[in-house]
Every structure is written in C-alpha cells, then in structure tokens.
Amino acid sequence: QVQLVQSGGGLVQAGGSLLLSCAASGRTMYGINWHRQAPGREREFVASISKTGENTRYADSILDRFTISRDNAKNTVYLQMNGLKPDDAAIYYCTVYGRVVWGQGSQVTVSS
C-alpha cells in the first residue's frame, strides 16, 4: 500500500507564499490530488496532477495563484501557493487519485 508523507505548511502573512510537498512511497507513480479542509467548511478540491505531470487541474478559487507540479525522480508532488489569502487557511491533504490514500495533512495558517 502506497503511503503519502507531507511536509511544508506553516504560518504566512496574507499575500505570502508557501510550498507543500507530498512524497509517495515506492517507485510507482500516481495521479495526485490536493484537497483542503477548514473548520466549518466542506472539504474542497484544490488541484490535481497526472502521473506524468503533463495534465493539471485547478479549482477556480485558487486559479493563477497556486501551481501543482511533480518531480518523478523523487516521486514527490508539490503545491506552490502564492498570494495566500486568509480564506486559504486550512489543513491541506494530498491524496492518491482513485484510492482511499491520504497524506497526514499540512496546516496552512494565513494571518491578515
């Protein structure tokens, strides 16, 4: 069973940037999704990337601010978050596309 280990996250001022990473165990490449969960809000899709990294998709709420990418040599997917807003504050999770496999979550806090 593949495992996802996340790193990054933290506290940033509004307008700042953070980089999240999601490292998959083993050598198998998977499509990866990012979701986020904030208190009192439904889980929200953020972005996804295909196995090859050639196809990406973004939620309208973060379009042109976040960038998803991957380094398959490291079997790691990244989420570069720029222009962060207080509404972006949440726990961010990476997931394997089509499977019930989640990373442990990364806390993102954005101060106003």
Side-chain angles (χ1 to χ4, degrees):
Q1 176 66 66
V2 62
Q3 293 181 311
L4 303 178
V5 179
Q6 299 181 220
S7 62
L11 172 65
V12 66
Q13 293 184 348
S17 299
L18 285 172
L19 177 66
L20 305 182
S21 66
C22 174
S25 63
R27 295 298 305 150
T28 303
M29 303 294 111
Y30 300 93
I32 296 292
N33 303 321
W34 287 96
H35 291 83
R36 64 189 182 186
Q37 179 72 60
R41 305 177 71 174
E42 295 182 350
R43 190 180 74 251
E44 179 185 18
F45 170 80
V46 176
S48 63
I49 189 167
S50 63
K51 296 176 182 179
T52 64
E54 295 180 352
N55 297 315
T56 59
R57 185 165 67 91
Y58 297 94
D60 288 343
S61 60
I62 55 85
L63 190 64
D64 298 325
R65 297 190 297 118
F66 294 7
T67 301
I68 190 170
S69 63
R70 69 187 305 152
D71 182 349
N72 281 355
K74 299 179 179 179
N75 205 358
T76 298
V77 173
Y78 303 95
L79 185 68
Q80 177 65 55
M81 304 183 294
N82 299 322
L84 283 162
K85 306 174 181 179
D87 284 349
D88 295 320
I91 301 176
Y92 285 71
Y93 298 92
C94 58
T95 66
V96 176
Y97 178 82
R99 301 190 181 204
V100 187
V101 178
W102 292 64
Q104 81 276 19
S106 298
Q107 177 70 60
V108 172
T109 303
V110 184
S111 62
S112 60

